[in-house]
Amino acid sequence: MSHPTRFHKTTGYKKKENIPYEIKNAREWDPNKNLQDYSSSDESDDECWDDDEDADNPPTSVEQRLNEVTSATKDSDGFQTVMKKQPPKRPGPPFGKLLRPSGRPRPRPRINFNQKKDNLARAAFRKRQPPNGKFMLPKDCHEIEPNRSKMYDIMEEMGVRFGSFIRPPQHVHDRELQLWGTAAQVELTTNALKEWLIRSQEALIPRKSMTKDKFASEYSNKGTKYKSIQKKMEKEAATQRYQQIPEAGQTFDYTGSFIWPVDEVRPEDLLGSSLEALDPVRFQYSCYIIFDNQLSAFRIFTNYIDSVEKAFKRIEGIMKAYVARNNRPLLVNMVEPPGLSLIRKSIKVVTQPESDAGKGKLPVLTGGTLELDARNKWLEESVALRAQNGRRIEASFRRIIPNLPFYQGNVRIRVFFGDFALTTFRWPEGETSIPFEHFVTNMAMSGTKGQVLRDLGFKKDAKTIMTKIYKAIRLFQSLDNSSASLEDAAPSFGARFVFDHPAKPSIQLEVEMNNVSADEGLYEKNHAFWTKVGRDSTAPLDMHMIRLGGTTSWKIRISHERSIDNTRIEPRMDEFANSVKFKKSPKSRTELTGQKLFTWDQDRPWAMQPSSLEQKTALRYRLVRQTEWIFEIARYDTYRDPKNPDIPSTTSWGATMWNTDWDSTFTDNSGLGIGESANWTPKLETFFPKQSNKSTSQGVDPGIAAFLENVQSVAACLDDIKYEPPHLRK
């Protein structure tokens, strides 16, 4: 792709008169000329997906979308489509030249790179409007809050909570905080600052009696530490200036323009009304970035020549990430051919009882068994269907993997096991069942939707379930190889606290505790993070393998998750997270008893209280001779009213499987900044390496074939646990 900018790359140092005008113009900056209308939004952080979009755009590769943004190629898998037929679309003009019909609204993008939307007060600060109030600190900031980063987060969180903006201290001895917002917002912010001072003073009291105060020595106003803190605060204050528009009359040594395809997507739809998502780029490269509506281009103003080119690369990275991620999640349904002992002529659906995952219809084999000739034919058809499933899995991964380097945050690939329930599907009116062949065809239609429920559907007691797992020594081995007995594995524990709100999205706190030593009772918090229920997590890929005849279905999911930013976590949320306590009795088998292990502060009436609690007790093992593969069997105990001990919990079982190499690969994604991409190679072999002892069979990649063998082995183990004799089945 050609570089869509008017920036001319320079090599080496040039005299000022030889530098092209596009890079160096040293002209006066007029803030009223070619400046976009910085209309700000007071919206809270919203979801990234827009459900009103056209639903028949499959995921495409980055290069393909960059070459022709308006007509994404739809790969045909040979199955009939269930979507309403649309008239063929005319091919659009090249990227950046799209002209939409007059009167047709521009659809909102399905993604949003802006995790910290500006409110009106912060937008006013960016436009250099005078402050609406001031607040004087009684002492230097480091004496109130020694942790500088925490102080900045606290002030930003107050601004988010009250719709105001606080300009933090500009240097160590700066005690004046400038406030933007309405009179009511400034008053609320002032009161919150006073409460913060009281809490900080109370937190500092115990340290005054200590002979050696760590924080006092670290932030002493004498010596090198003081100079270091002063330098960091001055640098922070300097970078904050790049959030604002340049001052009137300000001159710059270097400028550049990056043409943006505004008819494809408006920058403010991706980056915020003030392009606030670009703040890290502004800070890192010491430059001003604005959008010029007349040129349909980003303008970069700086005094450092390298900053222009580096800012261009980040903006181009945003464009690529938009192209890679602005797609509907890819959903694939496949049917695994049942064995000769299970296969029947027809399929019916039965109502799925209510569960945590909702309602659905379970497909069930019905009708007579196959005749001898039909059995021989089925053996051939089942081989072909199994190979077709392998090719579809391979094609789906090849289609989605090139886009994954552009996902910022926690990206994971997991295999989940459970019962498959249909939610949207086609069924002949008045028919109680359909032929098996028709069911396979219907499942492959794009309109068919379903989900693999996390509940494995075990109808046995916990001791029977775990005894079966303990005996599977030919398939599993201990996680650390320290014990030959699977029963000696130390469990890990997790809790998910859900908080419902009548007017806002529900939020949840997830906490995970892991065993840290040979001492069975010693656990420490592995992670704890806040997310918005259903909003901070997306699944670019979901592939369901439907297994019939009372067996266990499974799905492959690629998920992308981002936690709530620290500056969006309110003090009461922090207080609740800190109040969560974990206590496990030594030698207790929680996977068998479901003993409640997590507690929290329930005494204070103003404290947050969860509407539900889900406790997870998980045992993890490695596959024998393939130690990179992890299998997890987990017990979930759900408390619908956690404060009421008289309401019993409900118990379900789930199972998950993954490759540790996948998690290692996605480590790069977790630390990406805006406009950056991961460094790993986006190829199928990165996740499914070639197997030396396997070759391509029936068109299926050897790495995919080896993966399917592992999944089928685990599924067979779960089938053995789930199996019920015919006389006990309902």
Side-chain angles (χ1 to χ4, degrees):
M1 187 187 89
S2 60
H3 205 297
T5 72
R6 295 169 56 196
F7 170 69
H8 302 278
K9 186 176 180 180
T10 61
T11 56
Y13 175 79
K14 294 185 178 181
K15 294 183 178 180
K16 292 185 177 181
E17 59 271 16
N18 294 329
I19 296 177
Y21 177 78
E22 289 296 324
I23 299 302
K24 179 171 186 309
N25 56 13
R27 64 185 179 90
E28 286 192 348
W29 162 253
D30 183 357
N32 298 316
K33 183 178 181 181
N34 295 337
L35 179 64
Q36 78 170 93
D37 180 15
Y38 276 78
S39 60
S40 59
S41 169
D42 56 355
E43 296 177 336
S44 61
D45 296 339
D46 291 330
E47 67 273 22
C48 296
W49 295 98
D50 186 351
D51 293 335
D52 296 331
E53 296 291 336
D54 188 6
D56 56 358
N57 288 330
T60 53
S61 68
V62 178
E63 296 301 327
Q64 181 181 350
R65 285 279 291 149
L66 285 177
N67 291 335
E68 191 173 5
V69 134
T70 60
S71 55
T73 302
K74 189 170 185 177
D75 295 337
S76 173
D77 54 12
F79 295 98
Q80 177 186 354
T81 178
V82 79
M83 305 301 294
K84 182 184 292 186
K85 291 185 178 180
Q86 300 288 345
K89 298 180 181 180
R90 293 177 295 178
F95 187 80
K97 300 295 184 181
L98 175 62
L99 299 177
R100 295 189 177 274
S102 60
R104 180 180 175 185
R106 179 186 292 104
R108 290 182 59 190
R110 298 187 179 95
I111 57 172
N112 191 325
F113 296 109
N114 184 25
Q115 302 299 315
K116 300 181 181 181
K117 290 187 176 180
D118 272 5
N119 53 32
L120 293 171
R122 187 160 192 150
F125 162 77
R126 291 183 186 273
K127 291 186 285 188
R128 296 187 179 274
Q129 295 181 5
N132 305 104
K134 296 180 181 179
F135 183 87
M136 296 300 298
L137 298 174
K139 58 181 73 173
D140 292 346
C141 56
H142 66 272
E143 297 176 357
I144 300 172
E145 175 51 68
N147 189 322
R148 182 172 46 88
S149 298
K150 184 178 179 181
M151 177 189 69
Y152 291 142
D153 287 347
I154 289 173
M155 293 182 181
E156 186 165 352
E157 186 279 324
M158 289 182 189
V160 173
R161 192 168 9 132
F162 302 117
S164 59
F165 176 70
I166 306 173
R167 194 199 71 171
Q170 304 294 286
H171 53 81
V172 172
H173 298 302
D174 184 13
R175 300 186 179 184
E176 181 183 85
L177 304 180
Q178 296 184 353
L179 311 178
W180 279 260
T182 64
Q185 291 168 344
V186 170
E187 182 179 1
L188 289 171
T189 304
T190 300
N191 293 334
L193 287 169
K194 292 177 180 178
E195 294 175 2
W196 170 59
L197 291 176
I198 294 174
R199 291 196 305 269
S200 300
Q201 185 64 28
E202 292 174 350
L204 288 172
I205 288 176
R207 291 206 299 266
K208 288 185 177 180
S209 60
M210 298 173 63
T211 55
K212 293 184 178 180
D213 192 324
K214 175 183 176 182
F215 291 97
S217 61
E218 183 177 354
Y219 288 89
S220 172
N221 59 357
K222 299 179 181 179
T224 57
K225 272 294 180 183
Y226 166 77
K227 294 179 180 178
S228 174
I229 299 302
Q230 171 74 359
K231 186 176 180 179
K232 290 178 180 178
M233 292 193 67
E234 290 177 349
K235 182 179 179 180
E236 182 74 21
T239 57
Q240 287 175 0
R241 288 196 288 270
Y242 292 109
Q243 297 181 39
Q244 301 176 295
I245 61 175
E247 296 183 37
Q250 189 172 354
T251 61
F252 301 91
D253 292 337
Y254 307 101
T255 70
S257 301
F258 187 103
I259 305 299
W260 183 266
V262 292
D263 293 305
E264 169 70 13
V265 60
R266 294 289 305 178
E268 59 267 26
D269 291 339
L270 295 179
L271 308 172
S273 57
S274 301
L275 307 180
E276 53 265 30
L278 291 176
D279 281 351
V281 181
R282 292 167 168 142
F283 300 163
Q284 186 172 354
Y285 303 127
S286 302
C287 62
Y288 294 93
I289 304 177
I290 60 101
F291 189 76
D292 190 321
N293 278 320
Q294 293 187 9
L295 294 178
S296 296
F298 287 94
R299 303 300 306 278
I300 292 89
F301 301 90
T302 181
N303 292 321
Y304 307 94
I305 187 170
D306 290 343
S307 297
V308 178
E309 185 172 6
K310 290 177 180 177
F312 279 172
K313 288 181 179 179
R314 297 288 285 273
I315 295 174
E316 185 177 7
I318 293 171
M319 182 187 296
K320 290 181 177 180
Y322 164 74
V323 170
R325 294 174 51 188
N326 192 40
N327 292 290
R328 282 285 175 182
L330 182 59
L331 177 63
V332 180
N333 295 320
M334 298 163 289
V335 180
E336 180 177 300
L340 282 176
S341 61
L342 296 176
I343 185 62
R344 296 294 185 271
K345 294 180 179 180
S346 304
I347 295 288
K348 66 178 182 179
V349 292
V350 297
T351 301
Q352 163 72 14
E354 284 195 55
S355 65
D356 292 342
K359 290 185 177 181
K361 297 283 188 178
L362 295 179
V364 178
L365 289 167
T366 187
T369 58
L370 302 182
E371 291 79 10
L372 181 59
D373 292 342
R375 282 171 166 257
N376 294 332
K377 183 180 178 182
W378 170 245
L379 288 176
E380 297 177 0
E381 292 177 348
S382 62
V383 172
L385 180 56
R386 189 170 283 107
Q388 185 183 62
N389 290 340
R391 291 192 295 270
R392 292 190 71 192
I393 292 174
E394 178 185 345
S396 299
F397 271 113
R398 289 190 184 278
R399 195 167 165 185
I400 204 72
I401 285 175
N403 298 336
L404 297 182
F406 299 98
Y407 282 81
Q408 305 165 21
N410 186 19
V411 183
R412 298 197 304 180
I413 303 178
R414 292 292 186 268
V415 180
F416 298 94
F417 298 87
D419 287 333
F420 179 81
L422 286 164
T423 54
T424 304
F425 57 96
R426 300 177 69 182
W427 196 266
E429 187 175 357
E431 298 291 338
T432 58
S433 64
I434 60 174
F436 181 85
E437 297 79 8
H438 293 180
F439 175 76
V440 173
T441 302
N442 287 347
M443 290 303 99
M445 291 180 176
S446 59
T448 301
K449 296 181 181 179
Q451 54 185 332
V452 172
L453 307 177
R454 186 189 64 191
D455 190 355
L456 289 168
F458 291 160
K459 298 179 181 179
K460 302 177 181 179
D461 61 275
K463 186 175 182 180
T464 302
I465 294 171
M466 294 311 304
T467 299
K468 289 275 190 179
I469 294 293
Y470 298 151
K471 291 181 178 180
I473 56 176
R474 293 186 178 181
L475 181 60
F476 305 127
Q477 67 182 50
S478 62
L479 198 63
D480 56 3
N481 253 343
S482 60
S483 172
S485 174
L486 300 182
E487 190 173 358
D488 295 335
S492 62
F493 299 93
R496 184 168 67 95
F497 300 90
V498 178
F499 302 84
D500 293 329
H501 193 282
K504 296 180 181 180
S506 299
I507 60 175
Q508 62 186 17
L509 172 66
E510 296 187 27
V511 180
E512 182 174 313
M513 310 292 297
N514 285 339
N515 183 252
V516 294
S517 71
D519 183 359
E520 185 185 347
L522 184 58
Y523 282 78
E524 71 176 11
K525 188 180 295 183
N526 186 29
H527 70 252
F529 57 89
W530 293 88
T531 57
K532 293 180 182 177
V533 178
R535 296 200 174 196
D536 290 329
S537 179
T538 58
L541 175 65
D542 260 327
M543 288 187 285
H544 300 143
M545 184 65 74
I546 306 165
R547 302 175 76 235
L548 304 167
T551 55
T552 304
S553 298
W554 52 270
K555 72 174 178 181
I556 313 168
R557 162 169 282 197
I558 300 179
S559 62
H560 173 233
E561 191 174 69
R562 301 194 70 157
S563 59
I564 297 177
D565 188 82
N566 289 338
T567 60
R568 268 57 179 170
I569 296 177
E570 299 180 11
R572 58 201 304 259
M573 296 166 63
D574 235 349
E575 290 174 2
F576 177 85
N578 293 332
S579 75
V580 173
K581 299 293 187 295
F582 175 84
K583 184 177 181 180
K584 179 182 181 298
S585 302
K587 305 299 182 181
S588 65
R589 305 298 299 186
T590 312
E591 67 272 19
L592 303 180
T593 63
Q595 175 190 1
K596 190 176 180 181
L597 303 176
F598 290 87
T599 60
W600 62 95
D601 191 350
Q602 301 182 18
D603 298 332
R604 290 180 299 171
W606 60 86
M608 292 180 65
Q609 296 299 329
S611 54
S612 67
L613 162 64
E614 181 182 79
Q615 178 175 291
K616 174 183 175 182
T617 305
L619 290 169
R620 293 174 181 173
Y621 303 100
R622 298 186 186 274
L623 297 193
V624 173
R625 292 185 298 275
Q626 298 186 71
T627 55
E628 70 275 14
W629 286 96
I630 303 295
F631 169 74
E632 176 185 274
I633 182 78
R635 171 180 176 144
Y636 297 90
D637 294 288
T638 303
Y639 300 84
R640 296 299 180 188
D641 188 355
K643 292 187 66 176
N644 190 344
D646 297 329
I647 299 180
S649 63
T650 57
T651 301
S652 62
W653 291 83
T656 315
M657 177 180 173
W658 70 93
N659 191 313
T660 54
D661 293 338
W662 295 346
D663 290 353
S664 299
T665 299
F666 286 127
T667 301
D668 283 351
N669 293 68
S670 60
L672 293 178
I674 186 168
E676 295 178 331
S677 61
N679 292 325
W680 49 267
T681 305
K683 292 183 178 180
L684 182 71
E685 293 73 16
T686 301
F687 300 93
F688 304 96
K690 298 293 185 182
Q691 303 292 314
S692 58
N693 59 341
K694 293 185 180 295
S695 58
T696 302
S697 176
Q698 295 186 323
V700 180
D701 180 83
I704 294 292
F707 159 73
L708 291 175
E709 286 183 8
N710 289 332
V711 176
Q712 288 163 359
S713 298
V714 173
C717 176
L718 297 174
D719 291 344
D720 182 54
I721 300 174
K722 188 176 182 180
Y723 174 76
E724 291 183 286
H727 67 280
L728 295 179
R729 299 175 189 171
K730 292 183 179 180

